[in-house]
């Protein structure tokens, strides 16, 4: 059973920074592509960032490119989303997700992920 737990959300002023963490237990984390998605009230869940199994390749949504950085530590079974220059539009529940295809590349569609965390709220104050 693969379980994902996000942490690090909270309230932050516009222009500030937050680092989200995702702890993964079970499964073969070091061989999974990982992703972050977010969902704002009244909106659909949207892709934020993804990283391949080794951490050698990342991809970002245009809306966060240059501000967010996704990384992973396979030894610790953790994924990190560093979010800088935050804007009120970044306010959402952020979800960590895992794609269980072994040695896979990053994925940008939510339907390609097999496991999800419960989400962590990030609220950016203007």
């Amino acid at each position: 059973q693969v379980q994902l737990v996000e942490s690090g959300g909270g309230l932050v002023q516009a222009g500030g920074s937050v680092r989200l963490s995702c702890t993964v237990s079970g499964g073969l984390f070091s061989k999974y592509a990982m992703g972050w998605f977010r969902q704002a009230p009244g909106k659909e869940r949207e892709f934020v960032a993804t990283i391949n199994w080794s951490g050698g390749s990342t991809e970002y949504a245009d809306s966060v490119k240059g501000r967010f950085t996704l990384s992973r530590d396979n030894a610790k079974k953790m994924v990190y989303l560093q979010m800088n220059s935050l804007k009120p539009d970044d306010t959402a529940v952020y979800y960590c997700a895992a794609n269980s295809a072994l040695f896979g590349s990053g994925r940008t569609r939510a339907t390609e992920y097999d496991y999800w965390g419960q989400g962590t709220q990030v609220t950016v104050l203007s």
Side-chain angles (χ1 to χ4, degrees):
Q1 182 75 11
V2 179
Q3 293 186 320
L4 289 72
V5 178
E6 302 96 337
S7 61
L11 293 173
V12 61
Q13 293 288 336
S17 298
V18 166
R19 189 177 83 156
L20 303 183
S21 299
C22 176
T23 303
V24 182
S25 60
L28 300 171
F29 168 79
S30 65
K31 299 176 176 63
Y32 295 164
M34 300 293 296
W36 284 90
F37 289 76
R38 66 186 182 186
Q39 187 166 18
K43 295 187 177 181
E44 294 185 353
R45 189 169 298 190
E46 65 173 1
F47 166 74
V48 175
T50 185
I51 190 166
N52 75 328
W53 70 277
S54 68
S57 176
T58 54
E59 186 174 350
Y60 300 91
D62 288 344
S63 59
V64 308
K65 202 172 294 183
R67 300 188 297 122
F68 291 11
T69 302
L70 180 57
S71 61
R72 66 190 296 162
D73 186 331
N74 282 348
K76 295 183 178 179
K77 296 186 177 182
M78 294 193 70
V79 177
Y80 306 101
L81 184 66
Q82 178 67 42
M83 306 189 296
N84 299 330
S85 302
L86 283 162
K87 307 174 182 179
D89 284 349
D90 295 318
T91 295
V93 177
Y94 283 73
Y95 297 91
C96 178
N99 173 275
S100 63
L102 300 183
F103 306 111
S105 57
R107 313 297 177 104
T108 62
R109 294 183 296 181
T111 54
E112 295 180 288
Y113 287 86
D114 306 292
Y115 304 103
W116 292 84
Q118 81 290 348
T120 185
Q121 176 71 45
V122 174
T123 302
V124 183
L125 305 174
S126 57

